[in-house]
Amino acid sequence: MTPDVRKTLRTIAVLLFWLLVWALAARTVGQELLLPSPLQTAQKLLSLMMAADFWLTVARTMLRVLAGILAAVVLGVLLALLTHRSALARALLSPIMTLLKSTPVASFIILALVWLGRSAVPVFIAGLMVLPVVWANVSTGLVRVDPQLMELAAVYKLPRARILSRIIWPSVLPYLRSALRSALGLGWKAGIAAEVLTVPPYSIGKNIFESKLYLETTELFAWTVAVVLLSFLIERVLLLLVEGKKDSHA
């Protein structure tokens, strides 16, 4: 049995264990209003998926959150390059990044709601949570670029584009992947939290809020499961894209 197969089987076993714990807890409580069972939650999720509004809601939420995450990745990389080249820029930006990491997300959501429209707040918040993580990791990757390779590139007068693709990018890529692995879940959860507080039309957050408001606990669990599954899917797809770029530069 290969290590990958063992890892997959172990993951499935852990998942089944916690599903069993959930089922036993639901049976002990005995009230769907307080704690629905995994089967009840799965049935509700399937019924939601049968409606066209479900997919429209999922698509709009994913577009909002992914737009914020991708914008933050691009901006984080550019700011890391800027602060790597300029000590003054790093001194000016470091306190802002620390502020972004330490301030509660709810504070930013409320402020953004004052400045922006409801549909724009999740985009802004998702990006705001991802930006400092990407900036910090890419900055570390730039610091770790081998100086001897840079000296060699200068001696041979390599074009800037080749230096970037052959020396800097391979050094930064592992740190960018680590940033994405850490930040994707953070950005996704922050974007959903922003939707819960701002309730934009056709959003997962709006449905979560309304499920809680009307005590539809099973539907609340179903939407929560959908959020977890989508988070896993987004993380896998984006990391595969980054790994594909890694392979292309190998």
Side-chain angles (χ1 to χ4, degrees), residues 70-106:
L70 293 178
V73 170
V74 173
L75 182 58
V77 171
L78 293 177
L79 289 178
L81 290 170
L82 174 63
T83 55
H84 180 69
R85 295 178 63 88
S86 170
L88 176 60
R90 185 173 186 86
L92 291 174
L93 281 174
S94 292
I96 297 176
M97 295 301 177
T98 302
L99 179 67
L100 293 180
K101 288 190 291 185
S102 58
T103 303
V105 65

Short mmCIF file of all heavy atoms in Angstrom, two decimals, residues 70-106:
data_model
loop_
_atom_site.label_atom_id
_atom_site.label_comp_id
_atom_site.label_asym_id
_atom_site.label_seq_id
_atom_site.Cartn_x
_atom_site.Cartn_y
_atom_site.Cartn_z
N LEU A 70 -7.75 37.20 -5.01
CA LEU A 70 -6.81 37.35 -6.12
C LEU A 70 -6.24 38.76 -6.17
O LEU A 70 -5.04 38.94 -6.45
CB LEU A 70 -7.51 37.01 -7.44
CG LEU A 70 -7.92 35.54 -7.59
CD1 LEU A 70 -8.66 35.32 -8.90
CD2 LEU A 70 -6.70 34.63 -7.52
N ALA A 71 -7.07 39.77 -5.90
CA ALA A 71 -6.56 41.15 -5.85
C ALA A 71 -5.52 41.29 -4.75
O ALA A 71 -4.49 41.97 -4.93
CB ALA A 71 -7.71 42.12 -5.63
N ALA A 72 -5.77 40.65 -3.60
CA ALA A 72 -4.82 40.72 -2.48
C ALA A 72 -3.51 40.02 -2.82
O ALA A 72 -2.44 40.47 -2.41
CB ALA A 72 -5.45 40.11 -1.23
N VAL A 73 -3.58 38.90 -3.55
CA VAL A 73 -2.37 38.18 -3.93
C VAL A 73 -1.51 39.05 -4.85
O VAL A 73 -0.29 39.20 -4.64
CB VAL A 73 -2.71 36.84 -4.61
CG1 VAL A 73 -1.47 36.21 -5.23
CG2 VAL A 73 -3.33 35.88 -3.61
N VAL A 74 -2.14 39.65 -5.85
CA VAL A 74 -1.39 40.51 -6.78
C VAL A 74 -0.80 41.71 -6.04
O VAL A 74 0.40 42.02 -6.17
CB VAL A 74 -2.30 40.98 -7.93
CG1 VAL A 74 -1.58 42.01 -8.79
CG2 VAL A 74 -2.75 39.80 -8.77
N LEU A 75 -1.62 42.38 -5.23
CA LEU A 75 -1.14 43.55 -4.51
C LEU A 75 -0.07 43.16 -3.48
O LEU A 75 0.92 43.89 -3.30
CB LEU A 75 -2.32 44.23 -3.80
CG LEU A 75 -2.01 45.52 -3.03
CD1 LEU A 75 -1.40 46.56 -3.97
CD2 LEU A 75 -3.26 46.07 -2.37
N GLY A 76 -0.26 42.02 -2.82
CA GLY A 76 0.72 41.58 -1.83
C GLY A 76 2.08 41.31 -2.46
O GLY A 76 3.12 41.67 -1.88
N VAL A 77 2.10 40.68 -3.64
CA VAL A 77 3.36 40.42 -4.34
C VAL A 77 4.02 41.73 -4.75
O VAL A 77 5.23 41.92 -4.56
CB VAL A 77 3.12 39.51 -5.55
CG1 VAL A 77 4.38 39.42 -6.42
CG2 VAL A 77 2.68 38.12 -5.12
N LEU A 78 3.23 42.65 -5.29
CA LEU A 78 3.80 43.94 -5.71
C LEU A 78 4.35 44.73 -4.53
O LEU A 78 5.43 45.32 -4.62
CB LEU A 78 2.72 44.76 -6.45
CG LEU A 78 2.26 44.19 -7.79
CD1 LEU A 78 1.14 45.05 -8.38
CD2 LEU A 78 3.43 44.10 -8.77
N LEU A 79 3.61 44.74 -3.42
CA LEU A 79 4.09 45.45 -2.24
C LEU A 79 5.34 44.79 -1.66
O LEU A 79 6.23 45.48 -1.15
CB LEU A 79 2.98 45.51 -1.18
CG LEU A 79 1.80 46.44 -1.49
CD1 LEU A 79 0.75 46.37 -0.39
CD2 LEU A 79 2.28 47.89 -1.67
N ALA A 80 5.40 43.46 -1.72
CA ALA A 80 6.59 42.77 -1.24
C ALA A 80 7.81 43.15 -2.08
O ALA A 80 8.90 43.36 -1.54
CB ALA A 80 6.37 41.26 -1.27
N LEU A 81 7.63 43.23 -3.39
CA LEU A 81 8.73 43.67 -4.26
C LEU A 81 9.15 45.10 -3.93
O LEU A 81 10.35 45.41 -3.88
CB LEU A 81 8.30 43.57 -5.73
CG LEU A 81 8.13 42.16 -6.30
CD1 LEU A 81 7.47 42.22 -7.67
CD2 LEU A 81 9.48 41.45 -6.39
N LEU A 82 8.17 45.95 -3.68
CA LEU A 82 8.46 47.35 -3.35
C LEU A 82 9.22 47.46 -2.04
O LEU A 82 10.25 48.16 -1.94
CB LEU A 82 7.15 48.16 -3.28
CG LEU A 82 7.27 49.61 -2.80
CD1 LEU A 82 8.12 50.43 -3.77
CD2 LEU A 82 5.89 50.23 -2.65
N THR A 83 8.74 46.79 -1.00
CA THR A 83 9.38 46.90 0.32
C THR A 83 10.72 46.17 0.35
O THR A 83 11.58 46.47 1.19
CB THR A 83 8.45 46.34 1.42
OG1 THR A 83 8.07 44.99 1.09
CG2 THR A 83 7.21 47.18 1.56
N HIS A 84 10.90 45.21 -0.55
CA HIS A 84 12.21 44.53 -0.64
C HIS A 84 13.27 45.47 -1.20
O HIS A 84 14.43 45.41 -0.79
CB HIS A 84 12.08 43.29 -1.52
CG HIS A 84 13.37 42.53 -1.65
ND1 HIS A 84 13.94 41.84 -0.60
CD2 HIS A 84 14.20 42.35 -2.72
CE1 HIS A 84 15.06 41.27 -1.01
NE2 HIS A 84 15.25 41.56 -2.29
N ARG A 85 12.86 46.34 -2.10
CA ARG A 85 13.79 47.26 -2.74
C ARG A 85 13.96 48.56 -1.96
O ARG A 85 14.95 49.27 -2.15
CB ARG A 85 13.33 47.57 -4.17
CG ARG A 85 13.34 46.37 -5.10
CD ARG A 85 12.82 46.74 -6.48
NE ARG A 85 13.66 47.72 -7.13
CZ ARG A 85 14.71 47.43 -7.88
NH1 ARG A 85 15.06 46.16 -8.06
NH2 ARG A 85 15.44 48.37 -8.44
N SER A 86 12.98 48.90 -1.12
CA SER A 86 13.01 50.19 -0.43
C SER A 86 12.80 50.00 1.07
O SER A 86 11.74 49.54 1.50
CB SER A 86 11.93 51.12 -1.00
OG SER A 86 11.79 52.28 -0.21
N ALA A 87 13.82 50.36 1.86
CA ALA A 87 13.70 50.27 3.32
C ALA A 87 12.66 51.26 3.83
O ALA A 87 11.96 50.98 4.81
CB ALA A 87 15.06 50.55 3.96
N LEU A 88 12.56 52.41 3.18
CA LEU A 88 11.57 53.40 3.59
C LEU A 88 10.16 52.87 3.39
O LEU A 88 9.29 53.00 4.27
CB LEU A 88 11.76 54.70 2.79
CG LEU A 88 10.72 55.80 3.05
CD1 LEU A 88 10.73 56.22 4.51
CD2 LEU A 88 10.97 56.99 2.12
N ALA A 89 9.91 52.24 2.25
CA ALA A 89 8.58 51.67 1.98
C ALA A 89 8.25 50.59 3.01
O ALA A 89 7.12 50.50 3.49
CB ALA A 89 8.54 51.10 0.57
N ARG A 90 9.24 49.79 3.37
CA ARG A 90 8.99 48.74 4.37
C ARG A 90 8.68 49.35 5.74
O ARG A 90 7.79 48.88 6.44
CB ARG A 90 10.21 47.82 4.47
CG ARG A 90 9.97 46.63 5.40
CD ARG A 90 11.11 45.64 5.36
NE ARG A 90 10.77 44.45 6.15
CZ ARG A 90 10.11 43.42 5.69
NH1 ARG A 90 9.72 43.39 4.42
NH2 ARG A 90 9.82 42.39 6.47
N ALA A 91 9.40 50.39 6.10
CA ALA A 91 9.14 51.04 7.39
C ALA A 91 7.75 51.65 7.43
O ALA A 91 7.09 51.64 8.48
CB ALA A 91 10.20 52.12 7.64
N LEU A 92 7.28 52.15 6.29
CA LEU A 92 5.96 52.78 6.25
C LEU A 92 4.84 51.74 6.22
O LEU A 92 3.78 51.96 6.82
CB LEU A 92 5.86 53.69 5.02
CG LEU A 92 6.72 54.95 5.04
CD1 LEU A 92 6.63 55.67 3.70
CD2 LEU A 92 6.29 55.89 6.17
N LEU A 93 5.07 50.63 5.53
CA LEU A 93 4.00 49.64 5.35
C LEU A 93 3.91 48.63 6.48
O LEU A 93 2.83 48.08 6.73
CB LEU A 93 4.19 48.90 4.02
CG LEU A 93 3.75 49.66 2.77
CD1 LEU A 93 4.13 48.87 1.52
CD2 LEU A 93 2.25 49.89 2.79
N SER A 94 4.99 48.33 7.16
CA SER A 94 4.98 47.31 8.21
C SER A 94 3.94 47.57 9.28
O SER A 94 3.20 46.64 9.68
CB SER A 94 6.37 47.18 8.83
OG SER A 94 7.28 46.64 7.90
N PRO A 95 3.81 48.81 9.81
CA PRO A 95 2.77 49.03 10.83
C PRO A 95 1.36 48.81 10.31
O PRO A 95 0.49 48.32 11.04
CB PRO A 95 2.98 50.50 11.23
CG PRO A 95 4.37 50.83 10.81
CD PRO A 95 4.63 50.00 9.60
N ILE A 96 1.13 49.13 9.03
CA ILE A 96 -0.19 48.92 8.45
C ILE A 96 -0.51 47.44 8.38
O ILE A 96 -1.63 47.00 8.70
CB ILE A 96 -0.27 49.57 7.05
CG1 ILE A 96 -0.09 51.08 7.15
CG2 ILE A 96 -1.59 49.23 6.37
CD1 ILE A 96 -0.05 51.79 5.83
N MET A 97 0.45 46.63 7.96
CA MET A 97 0.23 45.19 7.87
C MET A 97 0.00 44.58 9.26
O MET A 97 -0.85 43.70 9.42
CB MET A 97 1.43 44.52 7.20
CG MET A 97 1.64 44.92 5.75
SD MET A 97 0.19 44.53 4.71
CE MET A 97 0.72 45.21 3.14
N THR A 98 0.72 45.07 10.24
CA THR A 98 0.50 44.61 11.61
C THR A 98 -0.90 44.97 12.09
O THR A 98 -1.58 44.17 12.74
CB THR A 98 1.55 45.22 12.56
OG1 THR A 98 2.86 44.86 12.11
CG2 THR A 98 1.35 44.74 13.99
N LEU A 99 -1.34 46.16 11.74
CA LEU A 99 -2.69 46.62 12.10
C LEU A 99 -3.75 45.73 11.45
O LEU A 99 -4.73 45.34 12.09
CB LEU A 99 -2.88 48.07 11.67
CG LEU A 99 -4.25 48.70 11.95
CD1 LEU A 99 -4.47 48.84 13.46
CD2 LEU A 99 -4.37 50.05 11.27
N LEU A 100 -3.55 45.39 10.19
CA LEU A 100 -4.51 44.55 9.48
C LEU A 100 -4.61 43.17 10.11
O LEU A 100 -5.70 42.59 10.20
CB LEU A 100 -4.11 44.42 8.01
CG LEU A 100 -4.19 45.68 7.15
CD1 LEU A 100 -3.78 45.39 5.72
CD2 LEU A 100 -5.58 46.29 7.18
N LYS A 101 -3.47 42.63 10.58
CA LYS A 101 -3.48 41.29 11.17
C LYS A 101 -4.07 41.27 12.57
O LYS A 101 -4.62 40.25 13.00
CB LYS A 101 -2.05 40.73 11.21
CG LYS A 101 -1.51 40.35 9.85
CD LYS A 101 -0.20 39.59 9.97
CE LYS A 101 0.92 40.47 10.47
NZ LYS A 101 2.22 39.74 10.47
N SER A 102 -3.98 42.39 13.29
CA SER A 102 -4.37 42.39 14.70
C SER A 102 -5.77 42.94 14.97
O SER A 102 -6.36 42.67 16.02
CB SER A 102 -3.36 43.19 15.54
OG SER A 102 -3.27 44.53 15.06
N THR A 103 -6.33 43.68 14.02
CA THR A 103 -7.65 44.28 14.24
C THR A 103 -8.74 43.25 13.96
O THR A 103 -8.67 42.52 12.97
CB THR A 103 -7.85 45.49 13.30
OG1 THR A 103 -6.80 46.43 13.54
CG2 THR A 103 -9.20 46.16 13.56
N PRO A 104 -9.77 43.14 14.82
CA PRO A 104 -10.87 42.19 14.57
C PRO A 104 -11.55 42.45 13.23
O PRO A 104 -11.77 43.60 12.84
CB PRO A 104 -11.83 42.46 15.74
CG PRO A 104 -10.98 43.08 16.80
CD PRO A 104 -9.92 43.87 16.08
N VAL A 105 -11.87 41.37 12.54
CA VAL A 105 -12.47 41.49 11.21
C VAL A 105 -13.81 42.21 11.27
O VAL A 105 -14.18 42.94 10.34
CB VAL A 105 -12.61 40.11 10.55
CG1 VAL A 105 -13.58 39.23 11.32
CG2 VAL A 105 -13.04 40.23 9.11
N ALA A 106 -14.55 42.06 12.37
CA ALA A 106 -15.86 42.72 12.49
C ALA A 106 -15.72 44.23 12.42
O ALA A 106 -16.59 44.92 11.87
CB ALA A 106 -16.54 42.30 13.79
#
